[in-house]
Amino acid sequence: MERVEERLRASVTSSDRLADSTSRHLVEAGGKRVRPLLVLLAAELGDGTAPEVLEAAAVVELTHLATLYHDDVMDSAPLRRGAPAAQRVWGNNVAILTGDLLFARASRLVAALGPDAVEIQAATFERLVLGQLHETVGPADDEDPVAHYLQVLSDKTGSLIATSALFGAMFGGCDQQVRDVVVAYGERVGVAFQLADDVLDLLGDESGKQAGTDLREQVPTLPVLLARDAAAAGDAAAAAAVALLDGPLEGDDELAAAVAALRALPSTEVARSRAQHCAQQAVDALAPLPETDAREAMAAFAAAIADRTR
């Protein structure tokens, strides 16, 4: 991971002073590095020392960072990883263009990994955009909102995490059966990761994210969707919580009241249980692999994703 960090910093370095500053902003803010870590873990199922593994780890994190610049503009997020979001520092246009620049840098790196890697990256990028598009538009009138939301998570989060695992297995020299296993694993880990995020939004976290950030921005999360279902079915407590959610949330007191009401509903624990269930599905997907330290580490990784506190 130290070498991945070095590669990331080298990849965003630019002779253009503004581009250098804006591109470094989120790299230097740190982060969990879930995707590159998964590349390295999956590569240990084969030859984890192959030089392409390091490049692939940088590719997936640069791609992820690029999406964060765009997401923060769309969500009007004030903070990212405890630091001011890029659009708060440089404005929306610069933040969007910086995200585009990082996508370009990731594309340059993946091109050196061969046409198969380029095709996988392109397909992943397509799913990322479609997931964001479908989240922005919302479910159709005849579509189940929860099913729609879970598909959004599969595309927006699961796709890149699955590609991270796939790149690790590919460049570690693993056969097709192993690659198929880690893709299935990565898809479920990605959904578990985002569902855990939904719960964390009601708790805040030690990275500086305020509780209720998604609620204030009216981002649909599983606890909210489940609360709306319960309210429609006649649950009085859920209906009261939904009334707060649909009211003004600009003030901290109003937001805190909405967060407390939603946190008290069973929907929050249901969302947590769903995250743990997806993590267990990811662990179960590893069953065809031999019992090795690498497989054990990937299983522990999935469990940690669902139970994280930040």
Side-chain angles (χ1 to χ4, degrees), residues 38 42 45 127 153-154 157-167 169 175-193 277-289 298 301-302:
L38 186 51
L45 295 170
R127 285 186 65 190
L153 298 192
S154 292
T157 306
S159 62
L160 186 56
I161 290 182
T163 291
S164 301
L166 175 57
F167 276 168
D175 62 27
Q176 189 60 51
Q177 180 188 18
V178 173
R179 297 180 193 186
D180 292 342
V181 165
V182 300
V183 166
Y185 163 89
E187 290 277 354
R188 302 315 296 163
V189 165
V191 175
F193 181 90
H277 177 67
C278 287
Q280 186 58 52
Q281 287 180 318
V283 173
D284 293 344
L286 298 173
L289 301 181
M298 291 178 70
F301 181 85

Side-chain angles (χ1 to χ4, degrees), residues 73-244:
V73 170
M74 297 185 71
D75 297 341
S76 302
L79 294 175
R80 172 64 70 176
R81 298 177 173 176
Q87 87 277 2
R88 291 297 180 100
V89 181
W90 292 283
N92 286 347
N93 290 343
V94 170
I96 291 169
L97 291 169
T98 300
D100 294 345
L101 181 60
L102 292 186
F103 278 128
R105 296 283 172 83
S107 296
R108 288 181 65 181
L109 289 184
V110 80
L113 295 175
D116 288 346
V118 171
E119 184 174 355
I120 291 167
Q121 175 77 350
T124 304
F125 191 18
E126 180 179 8
R127 285 186 65 190
L128 289 171
V129 175
L130 286 172
Q132 186 64 65
L133 177 64
H134 292 150
E135 179 181 72
T136 302
V137 173
D141 291 340
D142 60 347
E143 189 174 6
D144 175 24
V146 172
H148 173 271
Y149 179 63
L150 294 175
Q151 184 59 53
V152 165
L153 298 192
S154 292
D155 290 335
K156 274 192 63 177
T157 306
S159 62
L160 186 56
I161 290 182
T163 291
S164 301
L166 175 57
F167 276 168
M170 276 179 60
F171 296 113
C174 298
D175 62 27
Q176 189 60 51
Q177 180 188 18
V178 173
R179 297 180 193 186
D180 292 342
V181 165
V182 300
V183 166
Y185 163 89
E187 290 277 354
R188 302 315 296 163
V189 165
V191 175
F193 181 90
Q194 197 58 53
L195 290 176
D197 239 24
D198 287 356
V199 176
L200 286 177
D201 184 61
L202 300 178
L203 306 176
D205 67 42
E206 55 194 66
S207 70
K209 183 178 179 181
Q210 179 186 14
T213 298
D214 289 341
L215 300 186
R216 175 170 278 165
E217 299 302 328
Q218 298 185 317
V219 176
T221 62
L222 187 59
V224 171
L225 295 174
L226 293 174
R228 292 189 184 281
D229 282 348
D235 186 306
V242 167
L244 290 173

